Amino acid sequence: QVQLEESGGGSVQSGGSLRLSCAASGYSRSRMGWFRQGPGKEREGVAAIASSGSTGYANSVNGRFTISQDNFKNTLYLQMNSLKPEDTAMYYCAADSSPSGSYFPSLEPSRYPYWGQGTQVTVSS
């Protein structure tokens, strides 16, 4: 059974940093991604990484966030720097096992069948 468990969320002031982690187990993954959902907003893709190492970022976080993975530890990370109040959201880790995910990251939530429970990030001004 696929299990994804996020950690590392918290409260930080504007301009601060956080690192999210997602421990994955129980499946043969292809691509993984980080998504977020703010109050009253739809879930949106933040960053994604294919098993090949190719990455993709939302324009709103490009240059501030970095996605990475430790294949030995089966852990996905999201380093978030220069955080802004508009980054406040519940952050979710998601995983896909389709063959196309080996080479192509995707920020589209519908491409990911497996989801974690989320970790809250709150950025105050």
Side-chain angles (χ1 to χ4, degrees):
Q1 183 174 350
V2 176
Q3 290 188 324
L4 302 173
E5 185 172 359
E6 304 96 336
S7 62
S11 297
V12 64
Q13 290 191 329
S14 181
S17 298
L18 284 173
R19 189 176 82 154
L20 305 183
S21 299
C22 174
S25 63
Y27 82 115
S28 178
R29 63 178 173 81
S30 55
R31 59 187 154 209
M32 297 188 73
W34 287 100
F35 296 79
R36 67 186 181 187
Q37 188 166 15
K41 298 182 179 180
E42 293 187 354
R43 189 169 297 189
E44 63 174 351
V46 174
I49 186 167
S51 57
S52 64
S54 297
T55 59
Y57 294 92
N59 290 336
S60 59
V61 306
N62 199 17
R64 299 189 297 122
F65 291 10
T66 303
I67 190 171
S68 62
Q69 58 190 0
D70 184 326
N71 292 329
F72 181 75
K73 294 182 179 179
N74 288 327
T75 302
L76 181 73
Y77 301 100
L78 184 68
Q79 178 66 43
M80 305 186 295
N81 297 329
S82 302
L83 282 161
K84 305 175 181 180
E86 50 263 44
D87 294 318
T88 294
M90 184 70 78
Y91 282 71
Y92 298 90
C93 167
D96 180 26
S97 58
S98 65
S100 62
S102 297
Y103 300 99
F104 305 109
S106 174
L107 298 178
E108 173 55 51
S110 64
R111 294 189 180 274
Y112 294 83
Y114 309 112
W115 292 82
Q117 293 300 307
T119 185
Q120 178 68 37
V121 172
T122 302
V123 185
S124 58
S125 58

